[in-house]
Amino acid sequence: MLTGGLLTLVTVPFGGRHRLDSVTRWTGSWLPGSDWGNTGPPNAPAGYPGERLGLPEQGAGSVAGIGRRVSAFGLDLLISAVLAGMFTAPRLPENWSLLAWVLLTVVPTAAFGMTPGMTALGVRVARLDGRTFVGLPRALLRTVLLFFLVPAVITDTDRRGLHDRATGVIVLRYRGGQ
């Protein structure tokens, strides 16, 4: 990254194109609620999460709410603890529940775009580039970042956490209703 005056040359990893961004836009991309990736006029407020990405406001295909996401995460943790406990009973599962959670998160997300908790709550992980499968590398990186929790808490106006932005995915609802 080269800085000069009010503009910054941003080097994009993995063969992406270089681009010029303002310094405030670059630093703002790491702050919650920032308008990083806004394709509209500068400082234009988003009407609803996912609007800039062309997603519907409600129902199937809309951005999943924080409550559903947190509930799905909690349900996955509970399922992992129960599964690990079945194999270690009568002792507590200790770190085996962490291994169960990683497997329960990475494999289904890579193959189907959703964990058991997400399936129960009607949400799924989708790639922004339109490809069908999330894939193992993205699912693994997303799970590692999710483990630290902080990347999931820092979100933008489209409710995408740092772990979602780093892997180029978004969590959507796949069932209608409220």
Side-chain angles (χ1 to χ4, degrees):
M1 176 170 50
L2 300 173
T3 304
L6 295 176
L7 293 178
T8 302
L9 175 64
V10 179
T11 305
V12 182
F14 308 114
R17 293 184 3 196
H18 302 295
R19 66 180 193 272
L20 290 175
D21 282 337
S22 67
V23 174
T24 56
R25 184 168 170 193
W26 174 254
T27 57
S29 69
W30 296 101
L31 300 174
S34 69
D35 65 351
W36 180 75
N38 186 358
T39 56
N43 300 323
Y48 59 88
E51 180 179 27
R52 292 183 305 227
L53 301 172
L55 301 172
E57 185 174 3
Q58 299 176 20
S62 64
V63 177
I66 300 298
R68 283 181 190 247
R69 296 176 69 160
V70 170
S71 298
F73 178 70
L75 188 55
D76 287 334
L77 289 176
L78 180 65
I79 293 169
S80 301
V82 169
L83 284 174
M86 289 171 49
F87 290 101
T88 62
R91 294 182 28 224
L92 291 175
E94 298 173 357
N95 288 334
W96 289 105
S97 57
L98 178 61
L99 177 64
W101 175 76
V102 169
L103 291 174
L104 194 71
T105 303
V106 171
V107 174
T109 301
F112 308 111
M114 61 187 94
T115 64
M118 289 178 169
T119 302
L121 293 168
V123 297
R124 67 182 176 91
V125 178
R127 286 178 59 160
L128 287 176
D129 62 7
R131 297 209 176 163
T132 305
F133 298 106
V134 173
L136 189 59
R138 288 176 193 261
L140 186 60
L141 177 60
R142 186 176 185 276
T143 301
V144 167
L145 292 173
L146 184 59
F147 171 77
F148 293 107
L149 292 179
V150 172
V153 174
I154 301 174
T155 61
D156 63 8
T157 56
D158 293 318
R159 294 187 189 139
R160 293 178 62 213
L162 290 177
H163 67 302
D164 290 333
R165 287 185 275 169
T167 55
V169 299
I170 189 166
V171 179
L172 303 174
R173 296 171 63 186
Y174 71 87
R175 289 192 290 230
Q178 298 294 328

